[in-house]
């Protein structure tokens, strides 16, 4: 009985396949009419709570050597890619303020030469606000000098006492943030190393963090 049923199922399935093939061939012989259907959609603007977010214009920058004022040092300079803070929130907490902080890792050899690491204490920056938005209530952080410079802020970007300030809004500037929804800052970067630093290619990771 089971064998007979199986056989009938197999025949029925095959017959269906053959029938579909014959029908398809018949309908393909002569097209009588065509028509089109427009498919429309309206995507409404987001009306959710929005977010406070940070974007960086590029994921890398390269320092180039320049003349040093000190014969015992070599100096390299570059620019931090622009950092943009955007606030799309429809409701900003009272007393809100944000800050972008930065901290760098040691420079490590990338060319297989086995050179010793270079401390991020030799890396400094000069932050600046490049787009204050419409409120101008955003401030650049202080200059951070290297360990080869004179004080008072000659700690480098190693973060011994914590990350260094790139830019921030003032405490209680929530109402101002609601008026201007984006700001941008960058920084001049400079690396100073002793003249006897081993030559070679090095890389460091500068981590930027947004806090509120």
């Amino acid at each position: 009985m089971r064998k007979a049923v199986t056989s009938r199922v197999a025949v029925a399935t095959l017959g269906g396949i053959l029938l579909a093939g014959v029908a398809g061939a018949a309908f393909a012989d002569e097209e009588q009419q065509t028509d089109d259907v427009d498919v429309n959609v309206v995507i409404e603007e987001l009306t959710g709570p929005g977010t406070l977010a940070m974007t960086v214009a590029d994921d890398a920058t390269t320092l180039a050597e320049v003349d040093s004022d000190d014969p015992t040092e070599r100096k390299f300079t570059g620019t931090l890619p622009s950092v943009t803070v955007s606030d799309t929130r429809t409701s900003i907490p009272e007393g809100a303020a944000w800050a972008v902080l930065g901290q760098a890792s040691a420079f490590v050899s990338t060319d297989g030469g086995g050179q010793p690491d270079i401390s991020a204490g030799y890396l400094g920056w000069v932050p600046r606000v490049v787009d204050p938005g419409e409120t101008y209530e955003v401030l650049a952080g202080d200059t951070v000098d290297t360990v080869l410079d004179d004080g008072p802020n000659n700690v480098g970007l190693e973060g011994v006492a914590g990350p260094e300030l790139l830019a921030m809004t003032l405490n209680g500037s929530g109402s101002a943030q609601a008026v201007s929804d984006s700001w941008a800052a960058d920084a001049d970067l400079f690396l100073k190393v002793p003249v006897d630093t081993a030559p070679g290619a090095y890389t460091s990771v500068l981590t930027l963090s947004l806090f509120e």
Side-chain angles (χ1 to χ4, degrees):
M1 175 65 72
R2 181 177 299 173
K3 181 176 181 181
V5 171
T6 303
S7 298
R8 287 197 295 274
V9 171
V11 171
T13 303
L14 179 59
I17 294 173
L18 294 175
L19 179 61
V22 172
F27 285 124
D29 286 345
E30 185 175 354
E31 182 180 281
Q32 299 298 320
Q33 182 179 346
T34 64
D35 205 344
D36 298 326
V37 176
D38 294 334
V39 179
N40 304 309
V41 63
V42 176
I43 300 177
E44 300 288 351
E45 183 178 354
L46 288 176
T47 57
T51 59
L52 177 68
M54 176 184 71
T55 56
V56 184
D58 205 343
D59 60 2
T61 188
T62 300
L63 306 182
E65 187 163 15
V66 297
D67 292 336
S68 174
D69 297 331
D70 189 332
T72 67
E73 300 172 0
R74 298 179 69 178
K75 184 177 181 180
F76 304 80
T77 63
T79 304
L80 178 72
S82 182
V83 179
T84 299
V85 175
S86 300
D87 195 343
T88 59
R89 295 175 294 180
T90 55
S91 178
I92 298 175
E94 184 178 353
W98 57 257
V100 176
L101 307 179
Q103 181 174 343
S105 66
F107 286 83
V108 297
S109 172
T110 60
D111 57 9
Q115 298 94 329
D117 293 352
I118 300 174
S119 166
Y122 292 101
L123 178 67
W125 70 7
V126 182
R128 60 173 169 255
V129 175
V130 295
D131 181 0
E134 298 177 8
T135 65
Y136 293 87
E137 291 196 28
V138 58
L139 306 176
D142 293 332
T143 296
V144 177
D145 287 317
T146 77
V147 294
L148 295 181
D149 294 307
D150 296 329
N153 200 22
N154 58 338
V155 295
L157 295 178
E158 188 175 14
V160 174
E164 298 292 338
L165 177 65
L166 176 68
M168 63 176 290
T169 52
L170 301 174
N171 288 330
S173 62
S175 58
Q177 288 178 228
V179 175
S180 181
D181 62 3
S182 69
W183 307 260
D186 64 11
D188 290 327
L189 300 175
F190 53 95
L191 176 72
K192 295 181 179 181
V193 296
V195 291
D196 59 355
T197 299
Y202 296 84
T203 189
S204 168
V205 176
L206 177 52
T207 300
L208 298 166
S209 302
L210 172 63
F211 293 90
E212 182 180 42

